[in-house]
Structure formats: C-alpha cells, structure tokens
Amino acid sequence: MSSTEPSAKPPMPVPDELTQFFWDGVARHELCIQRCQTCGHYIHYPKTICRFCQSRDLAGERVSGKATLYSWTIATQPFHPFWVDKIPYTLATVELVEQPRLMFMSQVIDCPEEELEGGLPLEVAFVEMSSELTLPLFRPARG
Amino acid sequence: MVTGNRVAIVGVGYSTVGRNTGLSPDELMIQATMASLADSGLTVRDIDGITSVGTEPLNDAWMLGIEPLNWWASGLMVPAFAYSALSAIAAVASGFCHTALALRMIQQQPSGASMAAGTAARGNPMVASYFAAAAGDRQFLSPFGAGNPTQWAGLLTQRHMAEFGTTEEQFGHHVIAQRYHASLNDDAIFRDPLTMDEYLASRYVSKPLRILDCDYPVDSGAAVIFTTEERARDLQKPVVLVESYALTAIRDLNFEILEDMVRTAPAESARSLWSRTDLEPSDVDTAHLYDGFSVITFQWLEALGFCPPGGAGPFVEAGNTRLGGSLPVNTDGGACNVGRRHGANFCIEATRQLRGECGERQVEGADVSVWSTAVGPFAGAVLLTRG
Ligand SMILES: [Zn+2]
C-alpha cells in the first residue's frame, strides 16, 4: 500500500496568473491577499476584476496574519493519502482582521480542542507540511 | 400562486436504487422515466420537455424517442433536484412546453477509504478534482486538507452549535426520527431502529459531523412529471398542485468561506417561497427538508419559520418532526436511509403524502407539503397542495 505511506505527496497547489502572488508570499512567510487598488477592498478567492467597483487594478498585499476563529471541524477521516497519518487535524474558517467577513480556509494548530471557540484570536504560522509544501496555518495569538 | 399556467405533478418514479448497481446513467434515466410515466398514465409521446441534473437532456430525449423536444435545460453547479423541478415548473407555467420531465441521476460516489487510498479518482471527474494538482479555487482547499463536502458540513454544524447551543444529541434525535420513518418505508435501505447510544457511538467523519449525519451514496435515478393543472385533471392520480416556489443563490460556490454559516441560502429561499403564497408555515402538514447532512435540515426548519432562528435543536428534540408530532419531517426516512437522491426523494414523498399513498407512514389529512434542496450558496424549495 505504497499510496498510504507517510511519504505520499500532498495535493500541490498549481499557481496561476491570479494566484502566483499568494504562493510567492507563502514562500517568503508572508500572508498576501488580493486587494483592489481602486476601492481598497480585499478579495478572496482572487478574481480578475473587483466585484465592488469593477476595477481591474488588483494586487496581492501583505496582511497582518491576525484573524479570529469563525468555525472549525476536526477532520477525522482523510480524503487523500497525504492526510492518512496526519488525522486528526483542525480545519477552520477564519476571519482576517483586515476586513469584516474576509474569510480564509486554513487549519488551527497548537490549540487543544477544548480551547477552540468562536472569536478566538489567531495569528498566522508558516508550517512546512512536506519538503515541497509550506502552508499558512493559524494558532492562538500570543499576547 | 404562480402566474401563467397552474402547474401540477402527475407522475413520480425511481429507478433501481442501490450500491454498485452496474446500471449506466441511461439505464437509470429510462427506468426512472418509465416508472414516472406508469404512475401518471402518460406515455413518452406526451412528454415535450426535459430537464436534468446528472444527464444530458438531448441524449435523454433521444434515448426515450421523444421528437420533437420543445424545451430542455440542464445544470451542473445547481441545487440538484430543486433546480430540475423549478426549471420544469417555469417551463410549464410559461407554456414553453406542456409536459416536462424533471430528472436527477446520480452515480454513487466513492468511499472515503478509496479516497484515502488514492484509488477513488479513476473514472470520476468530480472526485478526480480532489486529487489532481489543486488548480483554480481548489488551491485554497486541497493543499490544506480541506474541500470534502463532509468538512464544510462539519464547519456548518460546529457553527450552529457554537452560535445557538445546539447539541450533538439534538442532531441525534433528528437522525433517529428519520430512521424511524424509514422503518415504515419498504423502499428504504436502512430500516433498523437506531438508539441515541448507537448514534453517539458512531464515528465522526469531520467532528462534530458523524457518519450517521451524512446521506448514503448510491446509484439512483428519479423522475417527476410536471404538466398543466388542466391536463392533470384528466389523469388517473389525485392532482398535486404547485402552490409556490423559490430558487435562490446568495453567493458563489465556496461553502468553506461562507460569511454566515447558520443563515445561508435556505433563509432567502424561504422568504421568496412565502412571498408568493397566502399560506403560512402553520398551514404545512408535512415537510421534506434536505438532509445531505443533518445540519441542513436544521437550517431549513429555521428558515421556513417552523421554529425560531437557532431553535431547530429544541424543536427536533421535543419530537415535533417525528410522525405523530406537530410537523412530520422526512417521512420517507430521508437520504440518510433511502440513499442519496439530492432532493428528488423529498419531492416524490411530498407528492405521495398529498395523494394519501404512504401507508403506515401516511400523515392524516395532509393537504399542504413543502420540500427543499441544498444549503449554503444556493437552495430551492417548493410548496405543494392537494388539488
Ligand atoms: Zn474595487
């Protein structure tokens, strides 16, 4: 069952013209979110045009990495070989502080299940999931 | 009440339903269509419109020998059978066609085990998208270990619990009530009674979502025939009328980053549904509310006004949704027990309740029923009355 060994490769992101900035940011350990340069709205997932003002002047900008926890679920079943030896892990929808309802899907780490609660302050952490993949995950904010 | 032609349901039918049936989509479609025609007393020559989610309507018409076809529609990222049904209703109401076949064909999805083993993607484009390199929006899900529907359902469930104090036992009461209804339905796959201990001992898929909160993947074909009230009056079965309907989208397709996970498209769908009728929630005798995951039924109970926002847990726990309660819900047993049919089962069960065809699980004096499909970014609902 070679496909279920821990060495299984993660599903790798395929950056495109719209998303290259995001993964370039991750490589620098910076969380970057698309922002409309005309009206200032952050946009996620990235689009080719601003849905608030229809501007095409969009760019990835570094954000603070601070967020609050909106909802979470403990993944107890893997749906890909890479995650077989990593369950359970905590998937989370977090709200980035830069803009109300600017939601981001990630994981929460370094937090016991009983301490998970709505509104929990979080901060980004860059975690090497494999030699090929680093992800922006979130952990309880320190101070 | 709809403008234009008043629309009626005159035939309902299923294909063989089950795991690994070996039936092709064409076979499922033909079986379901023939069953719905037999139920209505119509022949295939009476059909002049087809809408399907899961098959290609032009191929369906060709395979059925329908020529000419006066109207057709299909959808992919839509609220499943609600979309088929609402398309058909609109087509008949407008006069685009006079008798429309609404279809939902489903090929069983692979198990979690086969997905974990990496073998599930073969031959299944939807699942293959989980495995292929994560392009497009999926690059913000798959690399994070997210993107399976059970996981967004876990997020919706957790948020309902966090915001309203809903308990795991309350979801259990819903699951147990549905299983009880299934025990009275010969067509149900799971019919053994279920206890709270068994529910609480069942495994989590994405905590707090348990395997028993999930619909059951099967091969299934379902068909419902819509026509004008005038034509329906000449047919063999009691007439079931479309009283009101709603098809609603509130945002794009990303369930995982919904800004409000407890008031989603069902809330807007319900608002639209009630705005088109003089009937009220208290007039409804049976409700058939989408249960791809337990939390979805809870959202619909609240959205449709059967209980206050956030009140679904106590409402279900008090026994209201069980046969004999104030609002029997999902009297066929729901998709957890009859298998995944993406809302078609609820349209069919609502129809059968209004016709008085449900035997042991019949709700006495059922005159008004509502059924619904989907949650999150999009949803649809239909209010039916006995004609
Ligand atoms: Zn803008």
Side-chain angles (χ1 to χ4, degrees):
Chain A
M1 293 295 287
S2 60
S3 62
T4 57
E5 285 169 9
S7 60
K9 289 188 176 189
M12 291 296 293
V14 182
D16 54 40
E17 279 179 29
L18 273 179
T19 66
Q20 187 66 50
F21 77 87
F22 178 87
W23 296 106
D24 288 348
V26 169
R28 299 189 304 269
H29 287 200
E30 294 178 357
L31 183 64
C32 297
I33 299 292
Q34 191 187 52
R35 190 176 194 188
C36 175
Q37 304 298 295
T38 304
C39 74
H41 277 101
Y42 289 94
I43 299 165
H44 188 67
Y45 306 141
K47 305 286 186 195
T48 56
I49 190 164
C50 173
R51 75 181 185 92
F52 299 95
C53 76
Q54 289 71 55
S55 167
R56 291 174 180 275
D57 188 8
L58 306 169
E61 281 191 16
R62 184 177 188 177
V63 294
S64 66
K66 296 190 183 310
T68 57
L69 182 58
Y70 179 69
S71 195
W72 62 97
T73 182
I74 315 289
T76 51
Q77 171 151 357
F79 291 101
H80 183 285
F82 180 69
W83 297 101
V84 168
D85 64 343
K86 295 172 184 67
I87 55 169
Y89 56 93
T90 303
L91 289 167
T93 304
V94 307
E95 184 172 8
L96 302 178
V97 298
E98 273 71 18
Q99 181 174 295
R101 295 156 70 103
L102 179 61
M103 313 307 257
F104 186 87
M105 179 76 225
S106 184
Q107 292 183 19
V108 170
I109 56 170
D110 301 338
C111 185
E113 187 181 340
E114 57 274 16
E115 289 175 22
L116 294 164
E117 63 173 343
L120 182 72
L122 302 168
E123 64 186 16
V124 73
F126 291 87
V127 177
E128 192 173 295
M129 308 303 293
S130 77
S131 58
E132 299 155 284
L133 179 66
T134 294
L135 291 178
L137 306 184
F138 286 79
R139 64 184 173 213
R142 294 166 182 160
Chain B
M1 199 173 89
V2 303
T3 55
N5 290 323
R6 187 129 204 230
V7 180
I9 292 174
V10 294
V12 299
Y14 290 125
S15 68
T16 298
V17 174
R19 303 279 264 196
N20 306 310
T21 61
L23 295 169
S24 69
D26 281 345
E27 289 169 309
L28 293 169
M29 182 275 296
I30 297 252
Q31 284 188 1
T33 299
M34 292 306 163
S36 68
L37 287 167
D39 184 56
S40 67
L42 295 169
T43 73
V44 76
R45 286 178 298 282
D46 296 306
I47 304 292
D48 71 335
I50 296 182
T51 172
S52 181
V53 174
T55 50
E56 169 50 54
L58 294 186
N59 179 66
D60 298 339
W62 176 248
M63 297 303 291
L64 289 164
I66 295 173
E67 189 181 80
L69 190 66
N70 288 325
W71 171 86
W72 67 94
S74 62
L76 183 58
M77 301 313 284
V78 294
F81 189 72
Y83 190 82
S84 272
L86 291 163
S87 302
I89 291 166
V92 172
S94 69
F96 217 144
C97 63
H98 58 71
T99 304
L101 180 65
L103 298 166
R104 177 63 176 125
M105 297 309 132
I106 299 174
Q107 294 274 267
Q108 180 187 325
Q109 299 298 315
S111 66
S114 65
M115 296 184 75
T119 57
R122 290 176 203 135
N124 187 319
M126 185 179 125
V127 177
S129 73
Y130 297 146
F131 286 88
D137 287 350
R138 288 204 69 84
Q139 67 193 281
F140 298 106
L141 295 173
S142 306
F144 291 84
N148 185 276
T150 58
Q151 295 168 337
W152 62 251
L155 293 166
L156 267 60
T157 304
Q158 179 60 57
R159 185 66 198 181
H160 203 279
M161 294 170 70
E163 200 158 327
F164 301 127
T166 311
T167 65
E168 296 190 25
E169 285 80 1
Q170 288 168 338
F171 291 110
H173 283 293
H174 164 69
V175 170
I176 290 165
Q178 292 204 152
R179 180 63 67 85
Y180 170 66
H181 298 161
S183 75
L184 305 175
N185 181 3
D186 291 340
D187 288 340
I189 296 165
F190 297 111
R191 301 191 59 193
D192 292 338
L194 194 65
T195 66
M196 185 61 78
D197 285 347
E198 287 169 326
Y199 172 78
L200 293 174
S202 70
R203 71 181 168 88
Y204 290 116
V205 181
S206 197
K207 187 180 180 181
L209 184 88
R210 290 187 157 84
I211 189 79
L212 290 173
D213 292 305
C214 305
D215 64 2
Y216 183 67
V218 290
D219 297 334
S220 69
V224 177
I225 301 170
F226 292 87
T227 192
T228 60
E229 178 180 11
E230 184 186 12
R231 285 170 185 264
R233 296 279 177 209
D234 294 334
L235 296 175
Q236 60 194 24
K237 288 291 182 83
V239 174
V240 171
L241 293 170
V242 175
E243 167 68 18
S244 181
Y245 50 64
L247 177 69
T248 313
I250 57 167
R251 59 157 298 150
D252 72 355
L253 274 167
N254 298 302
F255 288 82
E256 287 85 352
I257 54 170
L258 285 169
E259 297 87 348
D260 182 343
M261 290 187 175
V262 299
R263 294 169 209 82
T264 67
E268 294 304 324
S269 247
R271 204 189 315 277
S272 172
L273 184 85
W274 294 123
S275 75
R276 297 164 200 254
T277 176
D278 294 330
L279 297 180
E280 297 175 356
S282 60
D283 294 313
V284 175
D285 301 305
T286 70
H288 307 273
L289 308 177
Y290 195 64
D291 66 335
F293 304 105
S294 297
V295 69
I296 304 178
T297 309
F298 279 40
Q299 285 206 7
W300 278 107
L301 284 168
E302 295 164 10
L304 287 164
F306 295 127
C307 59
F315 185 79
V316 168
E317 185 173 5
N320 289 293
T321 60
R322 204 174 163 104
L323 271 174
S326 65
L327 182 74
V329 170
N330 300 355
T331 54
D332 66 338
C336 303
N337 296 308
V338 305
R340 178 181 295 160
R341 310 189 198 186
H342 279 166
N345 60 303
F346 290 141
C347 177
I348 290 174
E349 179 72 0
T351 300
R352 289 176 170 167
Q353 283 285 350
L354 295 175
R355 290 171 171 181
E357 294 178 337
C358 288
E360 272 191 280
R361 64 181 196 281
Q362 180 64 43
V363 175
E364 283 297 310
D367 291 322
V368 180
S369 290
V370 66
W371 66 272
S372 68
T373 310
V375 76
F378 49 48
V382 179
L383 189 66
L384 298 173
T385 61
R386 192 156 65 156

